[in-house]
Amino acid sequence: VEDGIILVFDSSLSASQDMCFDSLNKLHDNAEKSTDLGDLLRLCVGVSFGPSPLADGTKASEEEYSRRVLWCLDRGYEYVEADMSTVGMESGHNDRDKEGFARIIEAISSCMWSSHVMKKRTAATTSSATAANDVGVNTQSQPNEKANTDTTTSAVPTSDSEREKAAVANLMEGVDQDIESKNKAEEIKKQELAFHELERVIADVKNIRESSQNDSISDEERRKLAGDTALRMMDLFDKLGFGDDEEDSDETEASSLPEGVE
């Protein structure tokens, strides 16, 4: 089984002659009917010795060139015009976008043929590559190791006093964090208890009011209960921090008064 099809014709011949472009129709049809031809590579090559006859810039040449390209596109071919003179076969091999004979060589050499066999690497080549990789790894690792050594040396205390200071600093940092966390927890707990006590005081005030309206307690008892409740509420305000704001406000107002005025 062949992997591709290369159709070649004489680009300088007219349509009535053999080996012209129009003679490729029959060749293509026969190739399509065959089951031994693949699609890995399909080239349609117009051969000339010297510049292509269609490169004269005339309208007829442009139309003929377009006709050939469209015919190739419809049938899956790449159209190439190749100058088979010595100059034409030697030029263009170093170009990125190759044309002519250089493009034919590139297409054939880059195709992954079904009969392609990977060239085995010799023992000498393998050992040389391994040795080169080892040298590269060792060369790259030495500066890194030196940098790591310098970093480690500078980070470690060099004397007993420095080690002692570092240990104490680490210990005190942990102690300070524990104390701060404990103080926050205690403060939150105190505030929660104070709010619960405030709820009970508000409930007691409500009960006193209802008892007064129902005449279930005397005026003397009501005044005593009201006074005790007021003292409890003032104490709660102090625990919640409301009293400090009032004292600061009073001090601010007193300091803003003119001299001799109280």
Side-chain angles (χ1 to χ4, degrees):
V1 178
E2 301 297 335
D3 293 329
I5 304 172
I6 300 179
L7 300 180
V8 182
F9 68 97
D10 189 342
S11 183
S12 61
L13 298 178
S14 62
S16 60
Q17 296 177 292
D18 294 336
M19 297 297 297
C20 67
F21 176 76
D22 290 335
S23 65
L24 299 180
N25 287 305
K26 185 177 180 180
L27 294 175
H28 169 74
D29 293 339
N30 292 335
E32 286 287 293
K33 294 176 183 179
S34 175
T35 58
D36 296 335
L37 299 177
D39 293 328
L40 291 181
L41 178 66
R42 286 197 173 191
L43 294 178
C44 179
V45 182
V47 177
S48 63
F49 290 89
S52 171
L54 302 181
D56 56 5
T58 62
K59 184 176 181 180
S61 297
E62 292 178 357
E63 291 177 353
E64 177 62 18
Y65 180 83
S66 300
R67 185 177 75 91
R68 294 178 183 182
V69 172
L70 291 175
W71 184 93
C72 292
L73 290 175
D74 291 340
R75 293 161 179 79
Y77 292 92
E78 177 184 351
Y79 180 66
V80 181
E81 291 185 339
D83 179 4
M84 300 305 294
S85 64
T86 302
V87 176
M89 288 190 294
E90 292 178 353
S91 62
H93 293 278
N94 295 326
D95 296 341
R96 181 173 182 178
D97 296 328
K98 297 178 177 57
E99 297 180 352
F101 183 76
R103 171 54 191 156
I104 297 173
I105 299 301
E106 181 186 50
I108 295 175
S109 59
S110 61
C111 183
M112 295 298 294
W113 305 103
S114 60
S115 58
H116 177 78
V117 178
M118 183 71 72
K119 185 178 179 180
K120 294 183 179 180
R121 301 177 64 183
T122 62
T125 304
T126 305
S127 60
S128 299
T130 304
N133 291 334
D134 293 340
V135 171
V137 171
N138 292 333
T139 304
Q140 294 176 358
S141 62
Q142 288 177 359
N144 293 334
E145 291 176 357
K146 183 177 180 181
N148 293 335
T149 302
D150 295 341
T151 303
T152 305
T153 302
S154 61
V156 176
T158 57
S159 63
D160 293 340
S161 60
E162 291 180 356
R163 285 195 292 268
E164 183 178 354
K165 290 179 181 179
V168 172
N170 292 332
L171 179 61
M172 292 306 297
E173 182 179 358
V175 172
D176 293 340
Q177 291 178 354
D178 293 340
I179 293 175
E180 184 178 357
S181 300
K182 186 177 180 180
N183 291 338
K184 288 182 178 179
E186 291 179 354
E187 184 66 23
I188 292 174
K189 186 176 180 180
K190 289 180 179 179
Q191 290 182 357
E192 290 178 352
L193 293 175
F195 277 114
H196 289 309
E197 181 65 21
L198 180 60
E199 291 177 355
R200 287 195 291 268
V201 171
I202 294 174
D204 291 342
V205 171
K206 184 178 179 181
N207 292 331
I208 295 172
R209 183 180 179 184
E210 291 178 352
S211 298
S212 177
Q213 291 176 347
N214 297 331
D215 295 331
S216 58
I217 57 175
S218 61
D219 292 340
E220 184 178 354
E221 290 177 340
R222 179 179 59 79
R223 286 193 293 269
K224 184 176 183 304
L225 291 174
D228 294 339
T229 303
L231 292 176
R232 289 170 57 193
M233 186 169 292
M234 291 176 62
D235 183 56
L236 287 175
F237 285 158
D238 291 338
K239 291 180 180 180
L240 293 174
F242 297 130
D244 296 337
D245 295 339
E246 294 178 357
E247 292 179 0
D248 294 340
S249 177
D250 294 341
E251 292 177 358
T252 303
E253 292 177 357
S255 62
S256 62
L257 292 175
E259 294 183 0
V261 178
E262 296 182 356

